Amino acid sequence: MFLDHAKGFKDPKLIEERFAMLSSVASAQPLMAYKEALTQRQSRKHPNVFVPDFDPAEAGICARVLFVFEAPGPKTKPSEGGSGFISVDNNDPSAATIWQLRKDADIREYEATHWNTVGWYMGDPTVKPNAQQRAEGIRELRDLTVLLHRLDVIVAGGRIAQDAFTTAAKRNGWPKWSFQTSAGTELP
């Protein structure tokens, strides 16, 4: 169910369709459980935390490519006019750029999923995650990668994600993958 244009979630009906898919797409179920557990852990520290859903139209646990960015933006949060999903179909310029990059690279919906270094909404997008938040996010992300049984590559998009992965790879010794930045630079 990959749309033929960027910013597809301008149409609220498409968002409703995705929410309806959440309970029926088998490859999304483990990610939904991951998201719920992450929400519970974060709500102990931040009572009103918002963690967006994975897009059930994506590959889910069958993803070969995991795109990881900084943190969920306002277009993920329904109370701010967002979809409720981490998705290339979100109605924002960042999602549109990734949508186009995926199209140009011929990476289809059944091959990829998206997440963030910090998986919970932090509020004002000008506020960047600090070192502690990035480290916590990477620990959570490591748990996510275990669920992705076909994962071949992680694309770290943006300086925050790239720095977090570089630090985590050095600290944790992640030998299974060669991390690639969105600029194509291989990370250790």
Side-chain angles (χ1 to χ4, degrees):
M1 181 174 178
F2 192 61
L3 302 177
D4 63 358
H5 60 283
K7 296 187 178 185
F9 284 166
K10 281 183 187 177
D11 182 349
K13 289 181 183 178
L14 292 175
I15 297 170
E16 290 174 24
E17 288 175 11
R18 296 289 168 91
F19 274 109
M21 292 172 64
L22 280 175
S23 63
S24 63
V25 176
S27 64
Q29 300 315 300
L31 300 184
M32 292 303 300
Y34 167 86
K35 178 249 178 177
E36 290 303 321
L38 174 59
T39 301
Q40 288 177 0
R41 284 189 296 278
Q42 286 301 313
S43 66
R44 292 181 200 130
K45 301 173 202 167
H46 313 286
N48 296 319
V49 72
F50 171 72
V51 178
D53 288 308
F54 289 86
D55 186 340
E58 298 286 339
I61 61 169
C62 300
R64 287 185 328 94
V65 181
L66 174 62
F67 288 88
V68 179
F69 303 99
E70 182 179 306
K75 289 299 182 179
T76 65
K77 191 169 184 186
S79 65
E80 295 197 20
S83 68
F85 295 103
I86 296 294
S87 176
V88 296
D89 294 324
N90 279 339
N91 184 19
D92 68 73
S94 296
T97 298
I98 301 308
W99 188 96
Q100 189 61 52
L101 289 171
R102 274 188 38 185
K103 181 179 181 202
D104 293 347
D106 197 30
I107 299 173
R108 305 294 300 181
E109 71 278 4
Y110 54 82
E111 297 177 295
T113 197
H114 299 259
W115 200 241
N116 288 289
T117 303
V118 174
W120 52 95
Y121 182 68
M122 294 182 50
D124 181 351
T126 62
V127 175
K128 303 301 180 193
N130 62 35
Q132 180 182 349
Q133 291 164 324
R134 290 192 308 268
E136 185 176 356
I138 286 290
R139 283 190 301 275
E140 297 287 354
L141 192 59
R142 189 169 185 158
D143 291 343
L144 171 63
T145 62
V146 172
L147 299 173
L148 307 178
H149 62 274
R150 294 183 58 217
L151 188 60
D152 289 329
V153 66
I154 297 172
V155 179
R159 180 57 51 201
I160 298 285
Q162 293 167 12
D163 290 348
F165 271 103
T166 300
T167 301
K170 288 178 184 174
R171 191 176 296 152
N172 299 315
W174 286 353
K176 184 175 178 183
W177 299 290
S178 157
F179 296 101
Q180 298 284 327
T181 69
S182 55
T185 308
E186 188 168 316
L187 300 176

